[in-house]
Amino acid sequence: MTALLELTGVSAAYLKARILFDIDLAVAEREVVALVGRNGAGKSTTIKAVMGIQVSRTGAVRFAGRDVSRLPAYMIARLGIGYVPEERRVFPDLTILENLEVGRQPAREGAPTWTPEALFEIFPNLAELRHRPAGQSSGGEQQMLAIARTLMGNPRLVLLDEPSEGLAPVIVEQMAVAVGKLKQEGLAVLLSEQNLRFAGAVADRAYVIESGHIRFEGPMRRLLDDAALRSAHLSV
Amino acid sequence: MGFILVQILTGLSSAASLFLVAAGLSLIFGVTRVVNFAHGSFYMLGAYIGLTLVALFGDLFGRGHLAFWSALLCAALAVGAIGALVEIVILRRIYRSPELFQLVATFGVILVIQDLTLWGWGPEDQLGPRAPDLRGAIMIMGEPLPRYDLVLIAAGPVVLLLFWLLLNRTRFGILVRAATADREMVGALGVNQAWLFTGVFFLGSFLAGLGGALQLPKGGANLLMDFGVLAAAFVVVVVGGMGSIAGAFLAAVLIGQLQAFGVLFIPQSTLVMMFLVMAVVLVIRPFGLLGRPELVGQGRQMLDDPLRPTGWRFKALALALVALLAAAPLWLGDYGLVLLIDILILALFATALHAIIGPGGLVSFGHAAYFGGGAYAAALLVKYAGTPMSLNLVLAPPAAALLALAIGWFCVRLSGVYFAMLTLAFAQIVWSVVFQWGTVTGGDDGLLGIWRSPWASDRVAYYWLVLACCTAGILALRHGLHSPFGYALRAGRDSPLRAEAIGIDVRRQQWAAFTLSGAFAGLAGGLYAYAKGSVFPNEMAIARSFDGIIMVFFGGVQQLSGPLAGAAALTWLKDILFRLEMWRLLLGLAVIAVVLLFPQGLAGFLKARFGRFFGIRPELSA
Ligand SMILES: Nc1ncnc2c1ncn2[C@@H]1O[C@H](COP(=O)(O)OP(=O)(O)OP(=O)(O)O)[C@@H](O)[C@H]1O
Ligand SMILES: [Mg+2]
């Protein structure tokens, strides 16, 4: 199976502080991969390194067989990588529909094409709020909006940075269902998580990251079953 | 009753152009975070190009409505295209640079446009063409109102409405609003910001050009329009709230009204009215009527190494330099000496300015007010008190400091570009008071006969005095910045919250530094007045403030020795360029080139090259 996204020997730094060391990571077509690790382990940094925002990085990032490590973020997005940041970063003054409009990109071969109506089916909560400024929505609604906005770009791969963070259990459940639907639609997903329960419910494969190093790679199942491994790298 | 009504309408009509200019400025800032100091120049270009196109279209298509109005529209479109070009060629390369770089680059554009306009249309003020069928006045309750004012009154709300539709009903508008909130995220969603920014620059410049073209029948065109409208537009934007179009409209109307009624009470200085409004608004709402707290700059902080004592070789070099300068009269002719006096005085001025820009982290764009303040203090003392030179030179710094104290109180409440705009607006107000209050200050004619005391009347003696004062001043400033006071100042710049947490009152610190900086600028101004034997409002003008900025910038913001290098470079450059025609154009191009080629300034460049030899560590590159 050839990888859709492939990081080889990626290191990254903020200004002068080096955070990631020689990361190797791959996501195959239609695969849901979880990147798990403690607070500050470098999960978000890995995801930002893929998009090439905020961090400076070295090493190779390939997407769909193409070297993207020198491209600006907007070009990477246009190749079919959708980014959902940890802080959601919805545009608070814009309505939900306008937020979706910002994410809209032309249809893409090899990826499902989304419309606001199709997205409202996955995230029914957003439907009634469509004309309201996004800043007035709850945290869960903003998380859904952030994902929906990214899907408007018709990506092939979605980078989800801690989609369950700070959400009520009911909403986390809905999130898990939504990620399942994305997989069904044929999308690949790389998600970072601290919540092993959520990751376990949705991911096929997992990486464990600790202090900027990958410590484990393997099927999600194995991580869930191996208590020793979990306590070594994940327990708080 | 009729009189008041007409006065209100007049105020509304004068608000129109102001609103257009301010709206463009605000829009550009909202999305790109660049304060376009060249915005006033676009306004001026709109007027001049409009002038030419109205004549041209009139010849081609007859002097009807269509020819006239389409000429104004085409002028605005042309200015929009010029704005887009400036964005593509210059600004696009420096969005990630510190604010100072962008301000300096746009100032380079101002200089270039000034000279091109002078070259294209000549120095005379131009009368505007009349709009067809809108000559004369209508009577409103027995009072006359120029017909054309009705057009202007309508223009404001119409543009506001069109603007609203554009921002809310088009994809471009939605992207603009999104980028105003979070441009990085817009990029991560696949939007090419470069074109978005160019589009915004086009639109903003178009509005400025339209403002300039529309006011033609009322105000014509002249070469002072650029700075004139710039200060007013800054006031409108600050009062209305940066980035808020509706706020700009509100503020423009408010200020238009104040001007209309203000002339009844203080006919000489409508700028003073503006100042009063701005002061009141800033005290009540620091971010303007409809503005929001400033977004913290995204990753544009300057990386700055800790200050460290310089190596002995550097000290030896400095000492040798002073000795060489002291001996200058032995080997330098009269002309060289005059030039050196200028360089030394400007170096002191630049060092004072650097203290607030570099370690203070606040870009003051109005430091001419304190330089000129010191110069006028000395000159006024000569005129009205007849006090001797030595006393006047001692009194000039505190006089300038007092001015800085008052103005600084308002300015340090804000930071970043707000601070820059506010300091410029205040300086422009001080300038206009001096310019318009002719009975006391001599107005445009300045104050002459500022003679030196007999013991310093000889040029060489005065040169030594200047050398002593400037060396002492520069050393004192350096010393201050290496003291706990300076460290606290830098702490406040680098992380205000943490500085507050360890008990530093950041604002007070900045206010004190601003005042101190004003005092040294005042000393430079006083010395300058006696060097020239006269003072003119020019010493306070925006151009003088920019001289300071450019010297600091040439010298590199991060070096304490930078201002000296910058002063020498600028004075030398000007000395060469002054002999040429279009020196502003060349200076502007030089400034732009330095911004694009040497982002760490000249001294920074030299330091990176030769710093090791003098025991100075090279900058770490980010
Ligand atoms: N903008 C930044 N500048 C400097 N250092 C940063 C920045 N962002 C994150 N870091 C540091 O990088 C390290 C990794 O951060 P990262 O956000 O990647 O962690 P994370 O695994 O996503 O953690 P969390 O679960 O808290 O989101 C942390 O030590 C953090 O302090
Ligand atoms: Mg994170």
Side-chain angles (χ1 to χ4, degrees):
Chain A
M1 194 162 57
T2 61
L4 181 62
L5 174 74
E6 195 173 13
L7 277 62
T8 331
V10 168
S11 299
Y14 295 102
L15 296 180
K16 293 168 194 174
R18 193 147 171 222
I19 305 293
L20 295 186
F21 305 86
D22 245 334
I23 300 282
D24 292 329
L25 182 151
V27 182
E29 205 111 31
R30 291 169 179 270
E31 191 184 25
V32 178
V33 173
L35 179 63
V36 293
R38 296 187 182 115
N39 259 332
K43 304 181 294 290
S44 302
T45 308
T46 308
I47 286 183
K48 287 178 199 163
V50 174
M51 292 306 289
I53 57 173
Q54 291 171 17
V55 295
S56 52
R57 60 159 145 60
T58 57
V61 181
R62 302 184 68 79
F63 179 69
R66 201 175 149 175
D67 179 13
V68 300
S69 47
R70 286 181 202 293
L71 298 182
Y74 85 91
M75 289 284 279
I76 294 176
R78 284 185 181 184
L79 288 175
I81 302 185
Y83 168 52
V84 183
E86 186 171 13
E87 322 80 37
R88 283 130 211 187
R89 294 170 73 169
V90 299
F91 306 112
D93 295 340
L94 275 61
T95 64
I96 302 249
L97 267 180
E98 286 172 336
N99 266 275
L100 295 180
E101 172 64 27
V102 177
R104 186 167 63 82
Q105 292 286 325
R108 186 187 317 285
E109 230 176 288
T113 304
W114 299 92
T115 59
E117 292 313 318
L119 289 165
F120 290 149
E121 270 171 38
I122 298 187
F123 303 109
N125 308 31
L126 297 182
E128 300 121 62
L129 306 174
R130 65 181 82 187
H131 294 297
R132 259 217 265 152
Q136 294 175 12
S137 322
S138 69
E141 288 155 0
Q142 292 194 10
Q143 180 66 56
M144 293 176 191
L145 174 59
I147 298 176
R149 181 181 65 180
T150 298
L151 290 174
M152 284 296 287
N154 307 316
R156 295 171 70 180
L157 164 74
V158 181
L159 309 172
L160 282 179
D161 199 353
E162 298 220 29
S164 76
E165 192 188 4
L167 300 184
V170 199
I171 312 280
V172 174
E173 209 110 309
Q174 285 184 24
M175 266 316 148
V177 174
V179 173
K181 278 194 188 143
L182 298 189
K183 183 176 161 68
Q184 263 175 27
E185 293 284 341
L187 288 178
V189 178
L190 172 64
L191 56 90
S192 88
E193 262 308 332
Q194 286 197 58
N195 180 343
L196 209 54
R197 197 110 91 82
F198 179 83
V202 299
D204 307 315
R205 212 152 52 79
Y207 289 85
V208 174
I209 185 168
E210 191 189 14
S211 318
H213 296 273
I214 297 286
R215 302 291 190 199
F216 166 88
E217 184 274 319
M220 193 69 221
R221 243 332 347 123
R222 244 190 42 224
L223 181 61
L224 292 176
D225 293 344
D226 192 337
L229 182 73
R230 286 204 315 272
S231 67
H233 301 301
L234 294 175
S235 63
V236 218
Chain B
M1 188 57 215
F3 174 72
I4 289 178
L5 189 61
V6 164
Q7 214 58 29
I8 290 176
L9 292 174
T10 307
L12 282 177
S13 78
S14 67
S17 283
L18 205 50
F19 163 62
L20 292 178
V21 176
L25 194 66
S26 208
L27 176 78
I28 290 175
F29 172 78
V31 176
T32 67
R33 301 280 132 186
V34 170
V35 174
N36 179 22
F37 273 66
H39 212 65
S41 307
F42 292 158
Y43 171 79
M44 180 171 77
L45 275 181
Y48 275 103
I49 295 177
L51 210 60
T52 300
L53 288 185
V54 166
L56 182 72
F57 284 22
D59 290 343
L60 290 178
F61 312 118
R63 301 183 186 275
H65 284 281
L66 189 67
F68 181 81
W69 296 110
S70 58
L72 296 194
L73 192 67
C74 286
L77 287 171
V79 174
I82 293 169
L85 192 72
V86 167
E87 195 274 341
I88 291 171
V89 176
I90 302 169
L91 293 168
R92 183 174 286 187
R93 291 158 217 284
I94 50 171
Y95 281 126
R96 295 192 164 274
S97 306
E99 275 142 15
L100 180 66
F101 288 58
Q102 300 157 358
L103 302 183
V104 168
T106 55
F107 182 63
V109 174
I110 292 181
L111 291 175
V112 170
I113 291 180
Q114 270 181 350
D115 251 7
L116 288 180
T117 313
L118 175 65
W119 176 68
W121 285 277
E124 306 85 22
D125 289 5
Q126 309 266 352
L127 272 182
R130 293 289 171 78
D133 299 333
L134 289 170
R135 287 151 218 274
I138 53 164
M139 298 307 265
I140 292 179
M141 300 167 85
E143 297 280 336
L145 180 78
R147 269 174 215 274
Y148 192 75
D149 279 15
L150 296 175
V151 174
L152 291 176
I153 291 170
V158 167
V159 169
L160 185 62
L161 181 70
L162 289 177
F163 219 82
W164 188 86
L165 288 174
L166 179 76
L167 286 182
N168 289 281
R169 293 284 182 269
T170 67
R171 176 169 168 86
F172 174 76
I174 289 172
L175 292 182
V176 164
R177 284 161 55 217
T180 304
D182 186 346
R183 52 188 172 150
E184 186 184 64
M185 194 59 223
V186 172
L189 288 168
V191 176
N192 182 356
Q193 296 180 52
W195 290 110
L196 186 63
F197 285 16
T198 309
V200 162
F201 248 89
F202 175 84
L203 188 61
S205 313
F206 168 84
L207 287 173
L210 189 63
L214 272 181
Q215 63 81 52
L216 266 179
K218 217 181 168 183
N222 64 66
L223 291 170
L224 295 178
M225 290 171 77
D226 51 354
F227 286 149
V229 82
L230 190 64
F234 280 179
V235 171
V236 167
V237 168
V238 168
V239 168
M242 201 77 172
S244 165
I245 305 298
F249 183 71
L250 205 63
V253 168
L254 187 68
I255 285 180
Q257 292 305 326
L258 272 161
Q259 284 183 335
F261 287 95
V263 284
L264 304 179
F265 304 110
I266 329 175
Q268 295 91 350
S269 192
T270 45
L271 271 166
V272 173
M273 293 303 287
M274 268 201 231
F275 156 77
L276 289 176
V277 187
M278 187 166 73
V280 170
V281 169
L282 283 177
V283 170
I284 302 170
R285 290 187 61 96
F287 294 100
L289 294 173
L290 300 183
R292 301 199 177 163
E294 190 176 1
L295 299 171
V296 181
Q298 296 166 347
R300 294 204 318 204
Q301 291 303 324
M302 287 178 240
L303 271 185
D304 195 3
D305 287 339
L307 284 178
R308 60 191 74 241
T310 40
W312 65 267
R313 281 191 224 193
F314 186 80
K315 279 188 184 144
L317 186 77
L319 209 64
L321 184 68
V322 172
L324 191 71
L325 285 173
L330 301 178
W331 49 268
L332 207 61
D334 249 9
Y335 184 70
L337 221 49
V338 170
L339 216 56
L340 260 189
I341 288 178
D342 279 6
I343 291 180
L344 287 171
I345 290 173
L346 289 179
L348 176 60
F349 175 47
T351 308
L353 180 58
H354 173 268
I356 195 76
I357 292 182
L362 295 169
V363 181
S364 165
F365 247 123
H367 246 52
Y370 318 113
F371 183 83
Y376 268 96
L380 290 172
L381 281 170
V382 169
K383 282 282 149 201
Y384 297 100
T387 42
M389 177 177 95
S390 45
L391 181 63
N392 295 346
L393 283 180
V394 169
L395 289 179
L402 216 58
L403 196 61
L405 191 76
I407 294 178
W409 188 80
F410 292 101
C411 295
V412 297
R413 296 162 165 256
L414 304 172
S415 59
V417 292
Y418 282 86
F419 184 85
M421 292 169 58
L422 212 55
T423 45
L424 183 140
F426 273 110
Q428 194 62 3
I429 286 159
V430 174
W431 173 83
S432 77
V433 168
V434 169
F435 191 80
Q436 293 174 345
W437 202 13
T439 44
V440 175
T441 62
D444 203 12
D445 299 328
L447 293 170
L448 307 176
I450 319 298
W451 305 128
R452 299 193 279 261
S453 298
W455 59 269
S457 65
D458 173 51
R459 176 157 298 138
V460 174
Y462 192 64
Y463 168 77
W464 277 326
L465 178 69
V466 168
L467 180 64
C469 287
C470 292
T471 310
I474 290 171
L475 286 180
L477 276 164
R478 279 190 75 117
H479 184 76
L481 294 176
H482 279 101
S483 71
F485 174 79
Y487 295 145
L489 190 64
R490 290 159 64 92
R493 172 196 66 183
D494 291 338
S495 49
L497 292 180
R498 266 179 260 171
E500 295 273 0
I502 58 170
I504 299 173
D505 187 338
V506 173
R507 259 193 210 162
R508 274 191 100 84
Q509 202 79 20
Q510 291 174 335
W511 191 24
F514 191 74
T515 307
L516 198 69
S517 166
F520 282 97
L523 176 61
L527 288 169
Y528 194 79
Y530 277 104
K532 302 292 166 199
S534 55
V535 217
F536 297 99
N538 270 353
E539 302 330 327
M540 298 196 148
I542 295 183
R544 173 67 72 202
S545 293
F546 277 116
D547 279 352
I549 296 279
I550 287 169
M551 288 183 286
V552 170
F553 180 78
F554 270 8
V557 185
Q558 297 163 8
Q559 278 76 34
L560 293 181
S561 55
L564 193 65
L570 183 74
T571 311
W572 172 73
L573 197 63
K574 272 195 164 176
D575 187 55
I576 296 176
L577 293 179
F578 264 140
R579 299 171 201 176
L580 307 173
E581 250 176 280
M582 307 194 81
W583 64 271
R584 281 193 212 90
L585 179 88
L586 296 171
L587 182 63
L589 291 177
V591 166
I592 293 169
V594 171
V595 171
L596 297 180
L597 297 178
F598 303 108
Q600 22 14 354
L602 291 182
F605 174 73
L606 293 177
K607 183 165 135 182
R609 273 283 167 89
F610 308 109
R612 274 180 204 288
F613 179 74
F614 296 111
I616 306 169
R617 231 168 41 130
E619 304 290 318
L620 286 171
S621 52

